[in-house]
Amino acid sequence: MVDTLTIRRPDDWHLHFRDGDIMRGVVPYTARQFARAIVMPNLTPPVTSAAMAREYRERIRAAVPQGVSFEPLMTCYLTDTTDADDLARGAAEGVFTAAKMYPANATTNSASGVTDVEGIYPVFERMEAEDIVLCIHGEVVDADIDVFDREAEFIDRYLAGIAQTFPNLRIVFEHITTSDAVEFVKAGSEKIAATITPQHLHINRNAMLVGGIQPHNYCLPVAKRESHRLALRAAATSADPAIARKFFLGTDSAPHLRGDKESECGCAGIFGAPYALESYVTVFDEEEALDRFEAFASLNGPTFYKLPVNEETVTLERVAMPVPAELPLVGETIVPWHGGQMLGWRFVG
Ligand code: DOR
Ligand code: ZN
């Protein structure tokens, strides 16, 4: 039995840092485990220009602890009025690594998102020409679409069309939660990939709704039924490299204070950053796929994003590790993913 696992230092290809004191409080958790992270732009106001992203990047860099090497990779928040020239310039100057499309009102701070997907096709055309990665929150938000069906509906209504219209556009289908998404990504060209969160590998929707409402298991897209969770696990840990390389690590770590989760209108988002690698490696261990963990965590993402893999390594060890029920943040508390549970792996460094 393997008791320690050493892999190239991973990257987190999807997370939320917020801004200000919360950002300064959460960045060290990510910088401890990951070399780089794709930083979501859903601030208030959203990060819609290269100038805003440049300043935000500096604020994040200033929050990285002394002696720790960590690079934030910035994204542009797409709106109905995105300036494609500014986006292209920002990408050429190395400020933007990708652009993020939220359908308007799909999730936290997405009110300025895209209301008419085909309306921003000219921006996608430019992104395709400039080879800028498009990250997509794939949920239809119409009131008549059941919350559990929103991802599958998005594929049929929008994603298939985008992929067909822009065959050379690199697309990351973010935080996928369904077997429909797995099948879409598997069937797509090498330009289509997906991130998978730790929570969607660990829980199905019962974890949110059985035995009382569990706000700390609530995020968007919501966890789905068990068959979907199993499809995500099979994809992430697949022994077929042609399948496995299309899926990579993206925690969607989304900090909300305990009080904002345990509320009559609890926020969507799970704070996965502090024990992210322990959480993921547990899944690979359970699936007897520890030998495939490095590809998922450290190789597939950089390959898709056309970035170098990291040269440093990190080590995880098999040992019982209690996860704190809560962590201090900005004078209040936040519940981390797995808070109060025991994990069987520990991040050594
Ligand atoms: O649960 C989520 N929280 N899903 C998202 O898409 C956004 C995120 C957040 O920003 O809190
Ligand atoms: Zn997210």
Side-chain angles (χ1 to χ4, degrees):
M1 189 148 93
V2 178
D3 285 320
T4 65
L5 186 66
T6 297
I7 59 171
R8 280 184 193 264
R9 191 174 190 80
D11 307 297
D12 186 344
W13 297 98
H14 179 128
L15 60 57
H16 303 262
F17 276 150
R18 318 300 186 204
D19 210 344
D21 289 342
I22 293 202
M23 180 274 288
R24 284 185 283 277
V26 301
V27 162
Y29 290 112
T30 292
R32 177 170 167 262
Q33 298 201 330
F34 298 100
R36 297 168 290 198
I38 289 272
V39 181
M40 288 297 127
N42 61 331
L43 306 182
T44 34
V47 181
T48 50
S49 71
M52 292 172 88
R54 196 178 263 117
E55 288 169 16
Y56 184 32
R57 182 170 65 177
E58 283 319 304
R59 295 196 293 279
I60 295 168
R61 283 177 175 161
V64 176
Q66 284 283 323
V68 175
S69 133
F70 173 78
E71 182 62 9
L73 305 175
M74 310 310 291
T75 55
C76 177
Y77 184 113
L78 297 177
T79 70
D80 290 337
T81 59
T82 291
D83 177 351
D85 290 332
D86 181 72
L87 170 58
R89 211 167 28 243
E93 290 172 0
V95 180
F96 287 132
T97 300
K100 175 69 186 269
M101 184 181 78
Y102 290 100
N105 303 315
T107 186
T108 307
N109 295 342
S110 61
S112 316
V114 172
T115 62
D116 171 16
V117 172
E118 292 193 9
I120 64 158
Y121 269 20
V123 176
F124 293 165
E125 194 177 338
R126 183 71 178 276
M127 289 173 65
E128 182 182 45
E130 310 273 346
D131 199 21
I132 301 169
V133 172
L134 172 64
C135 300
I136 295 188
H137 182 114
E139 287 193 287
V140 167
V141 296
D142 299 13
D144 61 330
I145 304 297
D146 190 278
V147 72
F148 294 106
D149 297 335
R150 291 180 166 199
E151 184 172 282
E153 184 69 21
F154 186 88
I155 298 170
D156 296 344
R157 234 191 253 189
Y158 301 115
L159 189 53
I162 296 169
Q164 198 173 12
T165 311
F166 305 102
N168 290 313
L169 178 61
R170 281 183 291 154
I171 299 172
V172 183
F173 194 177
E174 299 287 0
H175 42 55
I176 59 168
T177 61
T178 58
S179 57
D180 311 72
V182 168
E183 290 310 316
F184 177 82
V185 172
K186 276 174 34 180
S189 76
E190 82 282 5
K191 305 281 181 183
I192 314 280
T195 53
I196 307 181
T197 74
Q199 59 265 26
H200 294 114
L201 294 169
H202 276 279
I203 61 171
N204 61 36
R205 61 196 192 178
N206 289 0
M208 202 169 46
L209 297 169
V210 173
I213 288 185
Q214 310 287 327
H216 299 291
N217 289 338
Y218 173 59
C219 64
L220 288 171
V222 288
K224 306 297 193 298
R225 60 172 68 242
E226 178 68 357
S227 56
H228 295 294
R229 185 182 78 99
L230 296 179
L232 297 171
R233 285 172 82 107
T237 64
S238 175
D240 180 349
I243 295 172
R245 70 187 159 81
K246 295 174 140 262
F247 301 93
F248 43 85
L249 187 159
T251 61
D252 200 13
S253 180
H256 292 279
L257 294 171
R258 182 191 266 277
D260 295 329
K261 297 282 293 172
E262 298 172 6
S263 146
E264 65 181 351
C265 184
C267 294
I270 292 177
F271 183 41
Y275 302 94
L277 290 180
E278 294 92 329
S279 181
Y280 279 113
V281 79
T282 299
V283 171
F284 278 73
D285 194 9
E286 288 166 357
E287 298 290 334
E288 298 182 5
L290 285 176
D291 57 323
R292 297 172 213 141
F293 185 51
E294 183 177 47
F296 178 79
S298 315
L299 306 177
N300 300 345
T303 302
F304 185 84
Y305 272 91
K306 301 185 181 173
L307 292 169
V309 296
N310 300 310
E311 289 303 328
E312 324 87 83
T313 59
V314 298
T315 297
L316 291 140
E317 70 173 345
R318 187 195 297 280
V319 61
M321 189 200 56
V323 176
E326 60 181 26
L327 298 166
L329 187 64
V330 295
E332 299 187 45
T333 59
I334 187 163
V335 176
W337 171 235
H338 296 297
Q341 301 170 9
M342 287 295 288
L343 287 175
W345 287 84
R346 188 176 76 91
F347 176 77
V348 180

